[in-house]
C-alpha cells in the first residue's frame, strides 16, 4: 500500500522530458550527497553530546544513525559499481590494497585501544565510540571491495 502514488511524488520522474529528467537526477544526486554528509555530521555531534551529557540514548542514537548512513552509502556504491558508475578517482583510490589494508589495520587498532580503555576505566563510552569507529572503518573496507568490482566492470567494458 502506497501513501502517495508514484505519479504524484516529488521524487518521481513521471511526465518529465529527457532534459528535465537529467536535471532532476543531477539535483537528486547533489541532495543525496548533502544528506549523507549532514547525517554523518549529525551522528558525530550526537556522539560528542553523549560524551558531555553522559547520555546512553545519544550514544545509541548516534550509532544507529551512523549505521543507517553508512549502509545507504554502501548500497549506493554497490548498485553503482554493477554498471561501473562510481567516481573513477574514488574507485581507483579505494580499490588499492594498501587503502583496504589500512582501514582494516585502523579498525583492529581502534578495537584493541577501546577495549583496553574500557577494561581499565569501565566507561561504556569506549565501547560505543569503538563501535562507531568500526562502523566507519567497516563501510570504507566494504567500499574498497565494491570499488574493485567497479574497476573490473569498467575494464570489461573497455575491452569490448
Amino acid at each position: 500500500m502506497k501513501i502517495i502514488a508514484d505519479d504524484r511524488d516529488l521524487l518521481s520522474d513521471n511526465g518529465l522530458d529527457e532534459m528535465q529528467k537529467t536535471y532532476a537526477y543531477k539535483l537528486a544526486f547533489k541532495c543525496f550527497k548533502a544528506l549523507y554528509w549532514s547525517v554523518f555530521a549529525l551522528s558525530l555531534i550526537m556522539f560528542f553530546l553523549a560524551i558531555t551529557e553522559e547520555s546512553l540514548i545519544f550514544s545509541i542514537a548516534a550509532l544507529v544513525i551512523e549505521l543507517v548512513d553508512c549502509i545507504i552509502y554502501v548500497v549506493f556504491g554497490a548498485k553503482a559499481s554493477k554498471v561501473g558508475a562510481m567516481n573513477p578517482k574514488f574507485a581507483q583510490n579505494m580499490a588499492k590494497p594498501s587503502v583496504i589494508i589500512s582501514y582494516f589495520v585502523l579498525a583492529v587498532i581502534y578495537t584493541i585501544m577501546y577495549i583496553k580503555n574500557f577494561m581499565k576505566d569501565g566507561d561504556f563510552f569506549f565501547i560505543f565510540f569503538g563501535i562507531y569507529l568500526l562502523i566507519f572503518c567497516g563501510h570504507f573496507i566494504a567500499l574498497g571491495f565494491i570499488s574493485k568490482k567497479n574497476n573490473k566492470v569498467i575494464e570489461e567494458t573497455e575491452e569490448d
Side-chain angles (χ1 to χ4, degrees):
M1 180 178 146
K2 294 185 179 182
I3 297 174
I4 299 173
D6 285 340
D7 62 344
R8 291 189 166 90
D9 185 14
L10 173 64
L11 300 177
S12 172
D13 62 2
N14 194 7
L16 300 177
D17 64 25
E18 291 304 313
M19 185 182 79
Q20 292 168 323
K21 284 182 183 181
T22 300
Y23 179 77
Y25 292 146
K26 285 181 182 178
L27 183 60
F29 185 77
K30 287 178 183 178
C31 289
F32 170 74
K33 190 174 177 180
L35 184 63
Y36 169 77
W37 288 109
S38 297
V39 170
F40 173 75
L42 174 68
S43 71
L44 201 54
I45 290 167
M46 288 183 73
F47 221 88
F48 287 120
L49 284 173
I51 294 168
T52 58
E53 300 295 324
E54 296 181 9
S55 171
L56 185 65
I57 292 173
F58 275 144
S59 296
I60 293 171
L63 286 177
V64 170
I65 289 170
E66 181 63 14
L67 182 63
V68 170
D69 196 38
C70 289
I71 288 171
I72 292 170
Y73 202 63
V74 168
V75 167
F76 174 81
K79 289 188 181 256
S81 73
K82 287 182 181 179
V83 294
M86 288 177 78
N87 176 328
K89 286 184 180 181
F90 176 85
Q92 289 296 325
N93 184 55
M94 288 303 296
K96 291 178 186 174
S98 60
V99 172
I100 297 170
I101 291 169
S102 296
Y103 277 110
F104 183 75
V105 168
L106 199 59
V108 170
I109 290 170
Y110 283 148
T111 302
I112 291 169
M113 184 175 74
Y114 284 107
I115 289 174
K116 199 173 172 183
N117 286 333
F118 174 72
M119 299 298 267
K120 180 181 170 186
D121 296 340
D123 190 355
F124 275 100
F125 161 74
F126 293 115
I127 295 295
F128 284 114
F129 202 66
I131 293 169
Y132 185 90
L133 291 173
L134 284 176
I135 291 169
F136 187 73
C137 289
H139 102 280
F140 278 114
I141 293 168
L143 287 173
F145 289 109
I146 290 168
S147 295
K148 284 182 177 246
K149 178 180 171 66
N150 180 77
N151 296 343
K152 187 175 180 182
V153 169
I154 288 173
E155 287 174 12
E156 291 171 358
T157 305
E158 289 175 352
E159 288 176 4
D160 295 336

